[in-house]
């Protein structure tokens, strides 16, 4: 039967014939299919040290892409022909954290081995998902440099709680995946970390830029500085965006919100600037908790972060 108005299995949303929404360029990955950007969901937040529903974020961020067009007015360029391949979400184990981390590392590695895309975006999840993701990138590309936007060092000890969303970069360093000098942290916030972990960062030659540094030097200067530190010694650069780097006024849907963070515009500008470098092959976006969000503000900002990485 032919329906006059109904379109089964399709949303009844308004369609402007001249406007392409970002989610319209997202298609499921199929074998031997190629595209520009690969997307994978890492929906895991059981290792969060605070109550978190970040496992729901991959879905809400994908949905938020439907709120924005592919046309950049600032660049006067339309990205409607850019192909985004969706590799789906990694199925987590219901009780075994170690098995879940293994599944995520294997899945990211398999995605990279397809060589289907130029860049890849990992949608977390809490920040613990960066450990398996970055480990997979290291296996594929060799020496890896990381730019981390975050209020926290994420260098907590493993003894008190195992691998959590507070330990990914300590885990990477102690597992020999990442050298401390190849990690640059932007937006570390005051009264948000322990002295022991600040000392650990110094001991391992991690490049740390606090919010005071951002205020004094400016986000563009710092972003340029960290790129220069990594570009001549690393085989690839990975961007890790913890959304709690942003002030709680702009990103209320994070488990560890706080005042005095980056503005939304500072984060977007910094990510866009870093993403222009040819060594940047991947980015994760983590610590979006849709259950704590207000009008999807944080998911929408995360979608914009994703777009700043894609459309460079």
């Amino acid at each position: 039967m032919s329906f006059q108005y109904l379109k089964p299995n399709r949303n009844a949303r308004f369609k402007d014939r001249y406007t392409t929404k970002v989610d319209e360029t997202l298609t499921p990955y199929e074998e031997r299919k190629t595209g520009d950007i690969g997307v994978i969901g890492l929906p895991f937040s059981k290792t969060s040290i605070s109550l978190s529903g970040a496992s729901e974020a991959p879905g809400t961020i994908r949905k938020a892409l439907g709120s924005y067009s592919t046309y950049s007015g600032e660049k006067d360029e339309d990205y409607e022909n850019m192909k985004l391949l969706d590799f789906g979400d990694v199925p987590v184990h219901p009780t075994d954290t170690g098995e879940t981390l293994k599944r995520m590392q294997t899945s990211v590695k398999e995605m990279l081995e397809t060589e289907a895309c130029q860049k890849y975006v990992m949608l977390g999840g809490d920040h613990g998902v960066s450990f398996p993701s970055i480990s997979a990138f290291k296996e594929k590309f060799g020496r890896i440099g990381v730019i981390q936007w975050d209020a926290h060092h994420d260098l907590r000890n493993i003894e008190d709680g195992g691998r959590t969303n507070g330990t990914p970069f300590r885990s990477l360093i102690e597992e020999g995946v990442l050298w401390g000098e190849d990690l640059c942290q932007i937006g570390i916030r005051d009264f948000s970390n322990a002295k022991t972990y600040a000392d650990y960062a110094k001991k391992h030659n991690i490049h740390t830029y606090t919010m005071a540094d951002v205020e004094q030097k400016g986000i563009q200067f710092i972003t340029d500085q960290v790129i220069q530190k990594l570009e001549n010694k690393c085989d690839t650069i990975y961007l890790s965006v913890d959304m709690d780097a942003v002030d709680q006024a702009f990103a209320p849907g994070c488990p560890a919100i706080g005042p005095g963070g980056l503005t939304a515009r500072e984060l977007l500008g910094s990510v866009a600037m870093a993403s222009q470098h040819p060594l940047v092959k991947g980015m994760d976006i983590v610590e979006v908790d849709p259950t704590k969000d207000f009008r999807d503000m944080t998911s929408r900002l995360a979608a914009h972060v994703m777009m700043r990485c894609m459309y460079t």
Side-chain angles (χ1 to χ4, degrees):
M1 179 179 178
S2 177
F3 296 110
Q4 185 174 0
Y5 300 109
L6 293 176
K7 296 179 181 179
N9 297 320
R10 292 181 60 184
N11 292 327
R13 73 179 187 184
F14 174 74
K15 173 61 181 173
D16 182 323
R17 71 186 68 184
Y18 300 114
T19 302
T20 302
K21 298 293 188 176
V22 178
D23 67 337
E24 294 179 67
T25 67
L26 188 65
T27 60
Y29 170 76
E30 296 175 3
E31 193 171 359
R32 291 185 293 277
K33 193 173 186 179
T34 60
D36 299 290
I37 307 294
V39 180
I40 190 170
L42 307 177
F44 188 61
S45 56
K46 287 184 178 180
T47 56
S48 177
I49 59 176
S50 55
L51 186 64
S52 173
S55 57
E56 298 181 22
T60 61
I61 296 172
R62 286 186 181 95
K63 182 180 178 182
L65 293 173
S67 299
Y68 305 109
S69 76
T70 57
Y71 172 66
S72 168
E74 294 179 0
K75 297 180 181 178
D76 192 23
E77 186 169 355
D78 201 325
Y79 297 93
E80 62 181 341
N81 294 320
M82 179 172 281
K83 297 178 182 178
L84 312 184
L85 298 186
D86 195 340
F87 287 79
D89 290 353
V90 178
V92 303
H93 192 282
T95 58
D96 191 333
T97 296
E99 172 62 21
T100 293
L101 295 177
K102 178 183 176 182
R103 290 182 183 185
M104 290 192 290
Q105 183 169 342
T106 298
S107 299
V108 173
K109 181 181 177 182
E110 289 176 341
M111 177 182 68
L112 297 178
E113 287 175 345
T114 67
E115 298 185 346
C117 304
Q118 298 299 311
K119 282 183 183 177
Y120 298 88
V121 178
M122 281 56 64
L123 301 176
D126 68 36
H127 217 156
V129 306
S130 294
F131 174 65
S133 181
I134 292 172
S135 296
F137 270 77
K138 170 68 162 58
E139 286 187 69
K140 174 66 176 177
F141 295 109
R143 185 171 177 177
I144 189 166
V146 176
I147 304 176
Q148 171 195 358
W149 289 266
D150 206 327
H152 312 96
H153 291 295
D154 285 356
L155 298 170
R156 289 177 182 268
N157 75 84
I158 309 295
E159 292 76 16
D160 284 339
R163 299 199 194 283
T164 69
N165 64 335
T167 67
F169 296 102
R170 188 183 191 116
S171 297
L172 288 164
I173 290 170
E174 297 189 354
E175 290 290 326
V177 176
L178 177 67
W179 293 2
E181 65 184 69
D182 294 341
L183 173 60
C184 298
Q185 303 179 323
I186 300 176
I188 300 299
R189 201 148 62 223
D190 212 10
F191 302 109
S192 300
N193 298 275
K195 184 179 187 305
T196 297
Y197 303 129
D199 291 341
Y200 183 96
K202 294 173 184 175
K203 178 182 177 182
H204 289 271
N205 299 314
I206 296 170
H207 306 286
T208 298
Y209 295 88
T210 66
M211 280 308 303
D213 294 321
V214 173
E215 291 175 6
Q216 293 166 13
K217 300 176 181 178
I219 193 69
Q220 289 189 337
F221 176 83
I222 289 174
T223 306
D224 181 62
Q225 225 177 23
V226 300
I227 285 290
Q228 289 183 40
K229 290 181 186 299
L230 300 176
E231 63 182 352
N232 294 321
K233 58 183 178 179
C234 297
D235 299 310
T236 191
I237 296 175
Y238 182 104
L239 312 181
S240 186
V241 182
D242 186 325
M243 293 298 293
D244 70 25
V246 182
D247 192 286
Q248 61 188 10
F250 303 96
C254 296
I257 60 171
L262 298 169
T263 66
R265 193 66 187 176
E266 283 175 328
L267 177 64
L268 294 176
S270 184
V271 169
M273 186 176 179
S275 298
Q276 293 173 9
H277 200 283
L279 285 182
V280 173
K281 300 295 183 185
M283 176 180 72
D284 65 44
I285 304 173
V286 299
E287 298 295 346
V288 175
D289 184 349
T291 69
K292 293 181 172 67
D293 212 359
F294 175 72
R295 296 193 66 184
D296 295 326
M297 284 176 61
T298 314
S299 291
R300 287 170 177 259
L301 178 55
H304 260 271
V305 169
M306 183 175 170
M307 291 157 59
R308 290 305 194 279
C309 179
M310 298 188 307
Y311 302 148
T312 56

